[in-house]
Amino acid sequence: MQAYYHSTETFGTVDGQGIRYVLFLTGCALACKFCHNRDTWQNKGDSITVEQVVKQYNRYRSYYEASGGGITVSGGEPLLQADFVTELFQRCRLDGIHTTLDTAGYAGQDCLARVSAHADAVLYGLKAIDDAIHRQLTGASNRLILTNLRWLADKAAVTVRYIVIPGINDSKADINKLALYLQSLPAIPPVELLPYHAAGRYKWQELGHVYPLEGIREAGVEDINHARLELTRRGIVVL
């Protein structure tokens, strides 16, 4: 089986535990205004097979294993190519390779169920709990995303990733809504706070698009610390 992909990274250190081989698949049904991989939205590009991924991983396997790392599949949205990711993760499990799914959760629950059943860890991206803000940021409702996370919370080793965007989703009310939602889940996942940055602006410009968040400042240490304090006050573990 093969999948369309954008690129690979052989020394990933921010997409799961340890040093990782990261596969960025193409295709995404969201239109996040801050996306730093704007060129992955269309489900097209070069193709790669499960065997090719494993072969590339094995070139540096000793480094990955020594660090407790493995393979992360990101995107785009990897759940849009769920059959491929499921087969890859099944193969990894047979070969003793640690796997991580990096998803926004905007796909059918059947796709999430198939892939997560074979994933050792899941990084689950949340942009906003308030549906209006989520629509503003992504062009879509977050109802499916929140429903999928509620289903997944006690079935996998989930870490929620929340991108902190100053003036848009980082108010005290926004963070309180995040905390209340997480507390309502059958198992409360830890949270990783990601600072908004505009490093992907050039990709929008290269593709002939106006960068939607022009003028929004990047998140700094104080922004992250504010969100961290609000969450930890409410018993949420922040990594």
Side-chain angles (χ1 to χ4, degrees):
M1 181 172 290
Q2 64 183 22
Y4 290 115
Y5 80 108
H6 172 268
S7 58
T8 63
E9 183 178 356
T10 58
F11 200 84
T13 59
V14 296
D15 295 302
Q17 68 180 46
I19 300 170
R20 309 190 70 79
Y21 173 98
V22 186
L23 172 64
F24 296 93
L25 299 183
T26 57
C28 187
L30 295 175
C32 297
K33 292 182 177 180
F34 51 84
C35 183
H36 57 272
N37 285 327
R38 175 63 178 83
D39 46 348
T40 66
W41 287 8
Q42 300 300 314
N43 191 12
K44 61 181 182 180
D46 294 328
S47 60
I48 195 167
T49 66
V50 169
E51 289 299 324
Q52 287 174 318
V53 172
V54 174
K55 182 178 180 180
Q56 291 177 14
Y57 174 86
N58 283 335
R59 291 177 60 192
Y60 308 100
R61 182 164 186 157
S62 60
Y63 294 97
Y64 299 133
E65 290 186 341
S67 71
I71 290 178
T72 295
V73 181
S74 185
E77 175 48 68
L79 292 180
L80 297 184
Q81 300 190 68
D83 290 342
F84 172 84
V85 183
T86 299
E87 183 175 313
L88 173 60
F89 282 3
Q90 287 175 322
R91 170 64 184 278
C92 288
R93 183 155 290 181
L94 289 174
D95 287 358
I97 301 171
H98 184 277
T99 56
T100 295
L101 169 69
D102 184 7
T103 179
Y106 193 62
Q109 193 173 101
D110 60 325
C111 296
L112 177 62
R114 277 185 285 137
V115 175
S116 63
H118 305 283
D120 294 306
V122 179
L123 301 175
Y124 201 99
L126 291 182
K127 283 73 178 177
I129 301 301
D130 183 281
D131 193 61
I133 296 175
H134 194 275
R135 288 176 183 272
Q136 173 191 349
L137 286 172
T138 71
S141 170
N142 63 7
R143 292 180 182 177
L144 176 60
I145 293 168
L146 298 183
T147 297
N148 278 343
L149 181 53
R150 183 171 301 279
W151 175 86
L152 181 67
D154 62 348
K155 298 177 178 64
V158 182
T159 297
V160 166
R161 283 181 149 182
Y162 188 83
I163 182 167
V164 176
I165 309 176
I168 296 181
N169 70 349
D170 70 330
S171 71
K172 186 174 182 178
D174 293 321
I175 303 302
N176 284 342
K177 287 179 181 179
L178 174 61
L180 288 172
Y181 169 74
L182 295 176
Q183 289 171 335
S184 75
L185 298 177
I188 302 176
V191 175
E192 181 181 1
L193 296 170
L194 304 178
Y196 162 72
H197 62 77
R201 179 193 289 114
Y202 77 96
K203 290 187 179 181
W204 289 75
Q205 296 171 340
E206 287 182 348
L207 293 169
H209 302 296
V210 175
Y211 184 64
L213 295 188
E214 197 68 59
I216 301 297
R217 68 175 178 84
E218 296 187 337
V221 174
E222 289 187 4
D223 300 298
I224 298 299
N225 286 342
H226 166 75
R228 179 189 303 274
L229 180 61
E230 293 299 324
L231 291 174
T232 55
R233 279 176 175 172
R234 288 155 181 79
I236 306 299
V237 175
V238 180
L239 302 176

Coordinates of all heavy atoms in Angstrom, one line a residue, residues 69-111:
G69 N 12.8 6.8 20.7 CA 12.0 7.4 19.7 C 11.3 6.4 18.8 O 11.0 5.2 19.2
G70 N 11.0 6.8 17.6 CA 10.2 5.9 16.7 C 9.8 6.6 15.4 O 10.5 7.5 14.9
I71 N 8.6 6.3 15.0 CA 8.0 6.9 13.8 C 6.8 7.7 14.2 O 5.9 7.2 14.9 CB 7.6 5.8 12.8 CG1 8.8 5.2 12.2 CG2 6.7 6.4 11.7 CD1 8.6 4.1 11.2
T72 N 6.7 8.9 13.7 CA 5.5 9.8 13.8 C 4.9 10.0 12.4 O 5.7 10.4 11.5 CB 5.8 11.1 14.5 OG1 6.2 10.9 15.8 CG2 4.6 12.0 14.5
V73 N 3.6 9.9 12.3 CA 2.9 10.2 11.0 C 2.1 11.5 11.3 O 1.3 11.5 12.2 CB 2.0 9.1 10.5 CG1 1.4 9.5 9.2 CG2 2.9 7.8 10.3
S74 N 2.4 12.5 10.5 CA 1.8 13.8 10.6 C 1.2 14.2 9.3 O 1.0 13.4 8.4 CB 2.8 14.8 11.2 OG 2.2 16.1 11.5
G75 N 1.0 15.5 9.1 CA 0.4 16.0 7.9 C 0.6 17.4 7.6 O 1.5 18.1 8.2
G76 N -0.4 18.0 6.9 CA -1.7 17.4 6.5 C -2.4 16.7 7.7 O -2.2 17.0 8.8
E77 N -3.4 15.9 7.3 CA -4.2 15.1 8.2 C -4.0 13.7 7.9 O -4.6 13.2 6.9 CB -5.6 15.5 8.2 CG -6.6 14.7 9.0 CD -6.0 14.5 10.5 OE1 -6.0 15.5 11.2 OE2 -5.6 13.4 10.8
P78 N -3.2 12.9 8.7 CA -3.0 11.5 8.3 C -4.2 10.6 8.4 O -4.2 9.6 7.7 CB -2.0 11.1 9.4 CG -2.1 12.1 10.5 CD -2.5 13.4 9.8
L79 N -5.3 11.0 9.1 CA -6.5 10.2 9.1 C -7.2 10.1 7.8 O -8.0 9.2 7.6 CB -7.4 10.7 10.2 CG -7.0 10.5 11.7 CD1 -8.0 11.0 12.6 CD2 -6.6 9.1 12.0
L80 N -6.9 11.1 6.9 CA -7.5 11.0 5.6 C -6.9 9.9 4.7 O -7.4 9.6 3.6 CB -7.3 12.4 4.9 CG -8.0 13.5 5.5 CD1 -7.9 14.8 4.7 CD2 -9.5 13.2 5.8
Q81 N -5.8 9.3 5.1 CA -5.2 8.2 4.5 C -5.0 7.1 5.5 O -4.0 6.5 5.8 CB -3.8 8.5 3.9 CG -3.9 9.6 2.8 CD -2.7 9.8 2.0 OE1 -2.2 9.0 1.2 NE2 -2.0 11.0 2.2
A82 N -6.2 6.8 6.2 CA -6.2 5.9 7.4 C -5.8 4.5 7.0 O -5.1 3.8 7.9 CB -7.6 5.9 8.0
D83 N -6.1 4.0 5.9 CA -5.7 2.6 5.5 C -4.2 2.5 5.5 O -3.7 1.5 6.0 CB -6.3 2.2 4.1 CG -7.8 2.0 4.2 OD1 -8.4 1.9 5.3 OD2 -8.4 2.1 3.1
F84 N -3.5 3.4 4.9 CA -2.1 3.4 4.8 C -1.5 3.5 6.2 O -0.6 2.7 6.6 CB -1.5 4.5 4.0 CG 0.0 4.6 4.0 CD1 0.7 3.8 3.2 CD2 0.6 5.5 4.9 CE1 2.1 3.9 3.2 CE2 2.0 5.6 4.9 CZ 2.7 4.8 4.1
V85 N -1.9 4.4 7.0 CA -1.3 4.6 8.4 C -1.6 3.4 9.2 O -0.7 3.0 10.0 CB -1.9 5.9 9.0 CG1 -1.2 6.1 10.4 CG2 -1.7 7.1 8.2
T86 N -2.8 2.8 9.1 CA -3.1 1.6 9.9 C -2.1 0.4 9.5 O -1.6 -0.2 10.4 CB -4.5 1.1 9.6 OG1 -5.4 2.1 10.0 CG2 -4.8 -0.2 10.3
E87 N -1.9 0.3 8.2 CA -1.0 -0.8 7.8 C 0.4 -0.5 8.2 O 1.2 -1.4 8.7 CB -1.0 -0.9 6.2 CG -0.1 -2.1 5.7 CD -0.3 -2.3 4.2 OE1 -1.4 -2.3 3.7 OE2 0.8 -2.4 3.5
L88 N 0.8 0.7 8.1 CA 2.2 1.1 8.6 C 2.4 0.9 10.1 O 3.4 0.3 10.5 CB 2.5 2.6 8.3 CG 3.8 3.2 8.9 CD1 5.0 2.4 8.3 CD2 3.9 4.7 8.6
F89 N 1.4 1.3 10.9 CA 1.5 1.1 12.3 C 1.4 -0.4 12.7 O 2.1 -0.8 13.7 CB 0.4 1.9 13.0 CG 0.7 3.3 13.1 CD1 1.8 3.9 12.6 CD2 -0.2 4.2 13.8 CE1 2.1 5.3 12.7 CE2 0.0 5.5 13.9 CZ 1.2 6.1 13.4
Q90 N 0.7 -1.2 12.0 CA 0.6 -2.6 12.2 C 2.0 -3.2 12.0 O 2.5 -4.1 12.7 CB -0.4 -3.3 11.3 CG -1.8 -3.0 11.8 CD -2.8 -3.6 10.8 OE1 -2.6 -3.6 9.6 NE2 -4.0 -4.1 11.3
R91 N 2.6 -2.8 10.9 CA 4.0 -3.3 10.5 C 5.0 -2.9 11.6 O 5.8 -3.7 12.0 CB 4.4 -2.8 9.2 CG 5.8 -3.0 8.8 CD 6.2 -4.5 8.7 NE 7.6 -4.7 8.4 CZ 8.2 -4.6 7.2 NH1 7.4 -4.3 6.1 NH2 9.4 -4.7 7.0
C92 N 4.9 -1.6 12.1 CA 5.8 -1.1 13.1 C 5.6 -1.9 14.4 O 6.6 -2.2 15.0 CB 5.5 0.4 13.3 SG 6.0 1.5 12.0
R93 N 4.4 -2.2 14.7 CA 4.2 -3.0 16.0 C 4.9 -4.4 15.8 O 5.5 -4.9 16.8 CB 2.7 -3.1 16.2 CG 2.4 -3.9 17.5 CD 1.0 -3.4 18.1 NE 1.0 -2.1 18.6 CZ -0.1 -1.5 19.1 NH1 -1.2 -2.1 19.2 NH2 0.0 -0.2 19.5
L94 N 4.8 -5.0 14.7 CA 5.5 -6.3 14.5 C 7.0 -6.2 14.6 O 7.7 -7.1 15.1 CB 5.1 -6.9 13.1 CG 3.6 -7.4 13.0 CD1 3.4 -7.8 11.5 CD2 3.4 -8.5 13.9
D95 N 7.5 -5.0 14.1 CA 8.9 -4.8 14.1 C 9.4 -4.1 15.4 O 10.6 -3.8 15.5 CB 9.3 -3.9 12.9 CG 9.2 -4.6 11.6 OD1 8.9 -5.8 11.6 OD2 9.5 -4.0 10.6
G96 N 8.6 -3.9 16.4 CA 9.0 -3.2 17.6 C 9.3 -1.8 17.5 O 10.2 -1.3 18.3
I97 N 8.7 -1.1 16.6 CA 8.9 0.4 16.4 C 7.8 1.2 17.1 O 6.6 1.0 16.8 CB 9.0 0.7 14.9 CG1 10.1 -0.1 14.2 CG2 9.2 2.2 14.7 CD1 10.0 0.0 12.7
H98 N 8.2 2.1 17.9 CA 7.2 3.0 18.6 C 6.6 3.9 17.6 O 7.2 4.5 16.8 CB 7.9 3.8 19.7 CG 7.0 4.6 20.5 ND1 6.5 5.9 20.1 CD2 6.4 4.4 21.7 CE1 5.7 6.4 21.0 NE2 5.6 5.5 22.0
T99 N 5.2 4.1 17.7 CA 4.5 4.9 16.7 C 3.7 6.0 17.4 O 3.2 5.8 18.5 CB 3.5 4.0 15.9 OG1 2.6 3.3 16.8 CG2 4.3 3.0 15.0
T100 N 3.6 7.1 16.7 CA 2.8 8.3 17.2 C 2.0 8.8 16.0 O 2.5 9.0 14.9 CB 3.7 9.4 17.7 OG1 4.4 8.9 18.9 CG2 2.9 10.6 18.1
L101 N 0.7 9.0 16.3 CA -0.2 9.7 15.3 C -0.3 11.1 15.7 O -0.6 11.5 16.9 CB -1.5 9.0 15.4 CG -2.7 9.7 14.6 CD1 -2.5 9.7 13.1 CD2 -4.0 9.1 15.0
D102 N 0.0 12.0 14.8 CA -0.2 13.5 15.0 C -1.4 13.9 14.2 O -1.3 14.0 12.9 CB 1.1 14.2 14.6 CG 1.0 15.7 14.8 OD1 0.1 16.2 15.5 OD2 2.0 16.4 14.4
T103 N -2.5 14.2 14.9 CA -3.8 14.5 14.2 C -4.5 15.7 14.7 O -4.3 16.0 15.9 CB -4.7 13.2 14.3 OG1 -5.9 13.5 13.6 CG2 -5.0 12.9 15.7
A104 N -5.4 16.3 13.9 CA -6.3 17.3 14.3 C -7.6 16.7 14.6 O -8.5 17.4 15.1 CB -6.4 18.4 13.3
G105 N -7.8 15.4 14.4 CA -9.1 14.7 14.7 C -10.2 15.0 13.8 O -11.4 14.7 14.1
Y106 N -10.0 15.7 12.7 CA -11.1 16.1 11.8 C -11.3 15.1 10.7 O -10.9 15.3 9.6 CB -10.8 17.5 11.2 CG -12.0 18.1 10.6 CD1 -13.2 18.4 11.3 CD2 -12.0 18.4 9.2 CE1 -14.3 19.0 10.7 CE2 -13.2 19.0 8.6 CZ -14.3 19.3 9.4 OH -15.4 19.9 8.8
A107 N -11.8 13.9 11.1 CA -12.1 12.8 10.2 C -13.1 11.9 10.9 O -13.4 12.1 12.0 CB -10.8 12.1 9.9
G108 N -13.6 10.9 10.1 CA -14.6 10.0 10.7 C -14.0 9.2 11.8 O -12.9 8.9 11.8
Q109 N -14.9 8.9 12.8 CA -14.5 8.2 14.0 C -14.0 6.8 13.6 O -13.1 6.2 14.3 CB -15.6 8.1 15.0 CG -15.1 7.6 16.4 CD -16.3 7.7 17.4 OE1 -16.9 6.7 17.7 NE2 -16.5 8.9 17.9
D110 N -14.5 6.2 12.5 CA -14.0 4.9 12.1 C -12.5 5.0 11.7 O -11.8 4.1 12.0 CB -14.9 4.4 10.9 CG -14.8 5.3 9.7 OD1 -14.8 6.6 9.9 OD2 -14.9 4.8 8.6
C111 N -12.1 6.1 11.0 CA -10.7 6.2 10.7 C -9.9 6.4 11.9 O -8.8 5.8 12.0 CB -10.6 7.5 9.8 SG -11.4 7.3 8.2

